[in-house]
Amino acid sequence: MFEQLFPNVQIDDMITATNETLFMTFFSVLGTFIFGLLLGLLLYLTGPGGIWQNKVANWITAAFVNVFRAIPFIILILLLFPFTDFLVGTIRGPSAALPALIIGGAPFYARLVEIALKEVDKGVIEAAKAMGAKYRTIIFKVLLPESTPALISGLTVTAIALISYTAVAGVIGAGGLGDFAYFYGFQRNSFDVVFVCTVLIVIIVFIFQFIGDFASRKLDKR
């Protein structure tokens, strides 16, 4: 039945493409979380009213974030070819897509982190200061724990964006479902392949959305 409906779909190849998409998504989300969290903290802490208020540092961080958020992802991949080749040793394959995915995703997540931190009750921060808490304590014991649900929600949104980025990266040979849909589906007029790849990507998105929503609800103390 399946072979009759989707005659051009090779199960083994589709599994390989799905694993490549999951590989790119998992490691790009991990890298985006680390660098995006750092950038978001810098934006918040060095901004107006922040505990490290510094106009120059805030301007530099904001400029970096805004520039890389403004570059379309397909162009960013091309711009980063020399850097990717230097870092990974190739510009093709799932691993080669990771630098562009992380550099493209981290600034996006950084803004969501900044928004999440701004939603933390100022009274809680002031109370910690009044008790003589050090900056490190305020960051790791107050700001991050209080904003955890919003941080996870932001990461979920970013992860879904990164899944779509992996499909774009596939067009230039990064592998994954986007690569498979374009080269083995679209270019060969095998639209059953395109359809199955689309369904698999949607399923992956739903899985990440479910996990993110579940974790956010569990950690929300309100």
Side-chain angles (χ1 to χ4, degrees):
M1 183 66 177
F2 182 86
E3 293 179 353
Q4 292 176 341
L5 289 174
F6 309 106
N8 299 301
V9 175
Q10 301 295 321
I11 300 298
D12 290 343
D13 292 338
M14 198 64 71
I15 291 172
T16 299
T18 303
N19 288 337
E20 289 174 344
T21 293
L22 291 172
F23 169 84
M24 287 187 284
T25 302
F26 176 79
F27 285 103
S28 63
V29 168
L30 181 62
T32 294
F33 173 72
I34 294 169
F35 292 108
L37 186 63
L38 291 174
L39 286 170
L41 278 168
L42 272 176
L43 284 170
Y44 175 78
L45 295 173
T46 60
I51 58 178
W52 293 344
Q53 184 171 335
N54 186 307
K55 287 184 178 180
V56 175
N58 185 259
W59 185 88
I60 292 172
T61 307
F64 175 84
V65 167
N66 292 336
V67 166
F68 281 97
R69 282 179 67 206
I71 302 173
F73 184 68
I74 189 68
I75 296 175
L76 181 63
I77 293 175
L78 301 176
L79 286 173
L80 290 174
F81 268 177
F83 175 72
T84 301
D85 190 35
F86 169 77
L87 193 66
V88 184
T90 180
I91 58 172
R92 299 182 66 84
S95 297
L98 292 179
L101 288 168
I102 294 170
I103 292 173
F108 178 79
Y109 183 55
R111 283 300 183 187
L112 298 179
V113 170
E114 182 188 20
I115 293 169
L117 294 173
K118 284 181 176 179
E119 291 177 354
V120 176
D121 188 353
K122 297 291 184 183
V124 178
I125 300 172
E126 292 301 323
K129 287 181 180 178
M131 293 172 64
K134 296 179 180 179
Y135 292 154
R136 183 172 60 182
T137 303
I138 293 173
I139 293 170
F140 291 103
K141 299 293 185 180
V142 178
L143 284 173
L144 293 180
E146 289 292 325
S147 61
T148 295
L151 292 176
I152 292 176
S153 295
L155 187 63
T156 303
V157 173
T158 307
I160 291 169
L162 286 169
I163 293 169
S164 68
Y165 287 175
T166 65
V168 175
V171 175
I172 52 91
L177 291 168
D179 179 290
F180 201 79
Y182 183 72
F183 289 105
Y184 295 92
F186 177 74
Q187 288 198 341
R188 298 183 182 182
N189 288 323
S190 300
F191 288 98
D192 55 333
V193 173
V194 177
F195 176 77
V196 173
C197 287
T198 303
V199 170
L200 288 171
I201 289 173
V202 170
I203 291 171
I204 292 171
V205 168
F206 281 176
I207 291 171
F208 272 82
Q209 186 70 62
F210 174 79
I211 293 171
D213 290 345
F214 179 79
S216 182
R217 286 196 301 269
K218 281 293 184 181
L219 293 169
D220 196 340
K221 300 175 184 177
R222 292 172 294 181

